[in-house]
Amino acid sequence: MDEITLLRRLREDRNPTDESVTRGRAALFNKINAVAPKERVTTARRRFTLAGLGAAGAFAIVGVLVATNVLGFGGWRGGADAAAAAVLERAAVAAMTFEDAPLAAGQYLRVSSQTVHVTDGQEQNGPVIAFRIKESSELYVPADRSDDWVWVREPISVVDVLTPGGEPMVERFYPSGAQAGDPELLRAPFGSFYGNTAESQWGDFASMPRDPYRLLNHIYLTTIGAGSSPDGEALVFIADTLRQGTAPADLRAALLRAAAMIPGVTITDDQATLDGQTGTAIGRVESENGLRQEIIIDPTSGRLIGEREVAVVAIPESSIAAGDVWRWSSVHTSVVDAAPAGGTPNGASDLAGCVPGERPGEMYCPPEDKK
Amino acid sequence: MSEDSDIIRRSGATPAAFAELYDRYARAVFRYAAGRVGNGHADDIMSETFLVAFERRESFDITIGDARPWLFGIATTLMRKHSRVEAKAWKGLVAHGAAAVPDDAIEAIGSRIDAEFAVKAIAAALRKMPTRDRDALLLYAWADLDYEGVAQALQIPVGTVRSRLNRARRTLRAASHRGSTPDQEVEHGRNNVAAETA
C-alpha cells in the first residue's frame, strides 16, 4: 500500500451525524430565506419546508451503481454466527408463510409503528439538552398500491429529558398536552407523500433482488459511502426497510436472509424487551460509533417485533450510559377494512396554505404569523 | 442529473435551489474537513462552507460544471483559521497511530506494527509540511479532486499543483519508508495518480 492509498484510508468512516447534516441544512435555509425577500416574485415570504422523513434518506439510490446481478463482496467474507442465522432463517420462513394475507379490494394493510429516540436541542447560546422523543404513526396501504394511501402521523411527544434541568427548554420545543397539536393526516396515491416518489419515500422494492446474496450486494452498492461501515450500514438499511412494514413478504424474507450474511451479526440479547414485547435481538456492534444495531424477532412465531440501537459505550453528552437504548422502533401490521377519511399529499403544509416548489419536498409557505 | 453549474445558475432566481448542492456535497465536505480538524469542527466547516458558497454564488464560474473544487476551496480557506486545531489533530494521529487505520488496510500493510509506524510517519510528515503543499495533497487525497480540480480550488496553475503534489508525495514517501528497503516502494496505488495525465 503506497502512502497516498494509506492516507486515503485514514479519512474513511468519517461521516457527519444526521443531526449535524440537518442543522447545516437549516442554517443554509435561514440564509436563503434571509435573501429571498429582496428577490421575491410573489408577495409571500419564502419559507423552505422539508418533508420530515428521516427514513427517506436511507433510500437515496446511488444511480448507476445499482446494477443488478453484480457479483459484489457480500457473502464472501463469512456471515452471521450460526445461532443468529438460524433465528433469521426462521423469521424469513415466517414472513413467507404466515404474514401478508392477501388484501381484498377495499382492504388496507395497517402498519402501526412507534419510534423512540434520543435527540438534542439548544437555544441561543444555551447548553445542549438531550431528550427522548416518540414518533408514532399509522399507515394504511391499499390493496392496489396505486390507490390512495393514508398516513396518520401523531405529533411528536417528549418521553423524557436526559440532561438535568433541560425540561423548560424541551417544553418550549415540544409543548405537551393540548398544545401538542393534531395528528397530521396525509393521503396520496402510491404513498407519494410530501412530493416524494413512492420509491424515494418507501424504497424501490421492484429493483431489489429477492435472492438474498444479490440483495445484500445491492444493499452494499446502494449504501456505499454512507454510515460508519459498509456492514453496519447494510444492517441499518435492512432494519429501516423492515421497520416501515411496507415491504412485500418475499422481500422481507430476503432481507432477513441477507442480514444472516453480514459478518459480525450475532444474537445480542435473547430477552430483548421492546414496547412491551420480548424477543430475540440479532445485531452487530458498530465499533465506529459504539452503537449496536439490532433486529428483534419473536422467537416462537418468527414475527418481526421491531428494531433498536443500543449504546455499547456511554455517550456522556447525551446522558446515555453503556447499555442504554439509543433508539427503538416497533412495528405491527394488520389487515383492516377501512382507512380514515380525509388527508392531503402534504398534510400540515397543505393546511398552512403552502405551495410546492419545483423540487420534490420543497414547499413555499405563507408568512408564519400565527406560530 | 443536472450539472452543479445549472443548480447555481437557477439559485439566482430561486435561492432555494441552492440546497441541492448541499444535499450533494455536504457529506463530502465533512469527510474532508473531519480528517483535518476533527469531527466537532468539521460540522461547522461543513455548514459554513455552504453559507459562504451561497453568499458568493454569483462569483462561481458557471463554465465549470463541477462545483466541488469551488466548495472544497472554500472549506480549505475556512480551515486556515483552525490551523492550531489541525496541528493538534495531526499530533493526535501521531499518538493514536494505527487505531485510525481500518482493519483490512492493516492487513494490506502487513501488521499492526507496520501500520502504526506508517501512520505515525505520515501524520508527523503532514504536520511539518508547508500549508500550501498540505492543502494540495489533502484536496487530492481526501477531497478526491484531480489535478485540475485542485488547481481550481486553490486558484493556482495546474503546473504548480503538480510540483506541490510531487513534493508532498516525496515527503510522505520518505517519511513512511524511512528505514525500509527501496524495493518496498512498489506503487500499488499507481492508479491514484491517473489524473496526472489529465
Side-chain angles (χ1 to χ4, degrees), chain A residues 23 27 46 51 81 93 100 134 149 155 167 174 191 194 203 208 227-228 258 260 281 285 299 342-343 363 365-366:
Chain A
R23 260 201 303 273
R46 283 184 160 156
D81 70 10
V93 170
D100 278 13
K134 177 156 99 177
W149 298 32
E167 288 80 2
Y174 293 107
Y194 304 111
M208 294 185 197
S228 297
V285 174
M363 299 292 286
C365 300

Side-chain angles (χ1 to χ4, degrees), chain B:
Chain B
M1 199 155 93
S2 57
E3 288 217 281
D4 298 342
S5 47
D6 293 338
I7 296 173
I8 296 169
R9 205 177 39 228
R10 261 195 297 136
S11 73
T14 315
F18 200 84
E20 195 170 340
L21 218 53
Y22 181 88
D23 293 337
R24 274 187 193 180
Y25 300 127
R27 286 165 193 276
V29 169
F30 176 94
R31 279 194 288 272
Y32 166 61
R36 300 189 65 163
V37 292
N39 288 18
H41 289 282
D43 283 342
D44 298 339
I45 296 292
M46 172 175 77
S47 175
E48 257 181 87
T49 296
F50 287 88
L51 298 182
V52 171
F54 177 74
E55 250 172 23
R56 297 192 196 154
R57 65 197 188 283
E58 273 150 31
S59 73
F60 179 75
D61 177 356
I62 55 167
T63 61
I64 300 169
D66 183 2
R68 290 182 314 130
W70 178 58
L71 292 170
F72 284 121
I74 293 170
T76 305
T77 308
L78 289 172
M79 275 187 283
R80 297 232 167 95
K81 69 178 179 209
H82 293 296
S83 57
R84 219 173 298 160
V85 177
E86 187 176 2
K88 233 194 219 161
W90 297 126
K91 262 191 206 158
L93 193 55
V94 175
H96 287 113
V101 185
D103 284 349
D104 59 332
I106 290 181
E107 271 170 45
I109 293 165
S111 71
R112 186 162 285 277
I113 293 172
D114 292 345
E116 184 86 37
F117 179 78
V119 170
K120 286 186 172 187
I122 281 187
L126 278 164
R127 186 155 66 94
K128 288 185 215 140
M129 198 177 274
T131 308
R132 58 183 190 282
D133 292 358
R134 188 169 55 222
D135 283 346
L137 177 68
L138 295 179
L139 283 166
Y140 176 70
W142 282 357
D144 295 319
L145 297 182
D146 59 18
Y147 281 38
E148 194 62 48
V150 176
Q152 286 163 13
L154 297 176
Q155 297 178 323
I156 54 176
V158 74
T160 312
V161 172
R162 250 182 252 288
S163 60
R164 285 187 192 177
L165 278 176
N166 281 339
R167 195 164 49 220
R169 291 186 62 128
R170 267 205 313 277
T171 310
L172 278 193
R173 196 174 314 160
S176 60
H177 289 284
R178 210 181 308 124
S180 63
T181 52
D183 55 277
Q184 270 182 288
E185 286 191 34
V186 180
E187 300 216 10
H188 303 290
R190 223 354 161 180
N191 52 351
N192 287 332
V193 290
E196 215 157 8
T197 54

Side-chain angles (χ1 to χ4, degrees), chain A residues 33 36 40 42-51 346-357 361-370, chain B residues 16:
Chain A
N33 289 334
R40 70 187 163 186
T42 61
T43 48
R45 183 168 78 88
R46 283 184 160 156
R47 185 163 69 88
F48 201 88
T49 309
L50 259 199
N346 304 297
S349 301
D350 290 328
L351 292 178
C354 306
V355 293
E362 202 178 276
M363 299 292 286
Y364 295 115
C365 300
E368 28 176 355
D369 314 321
K370 49 185 186 290

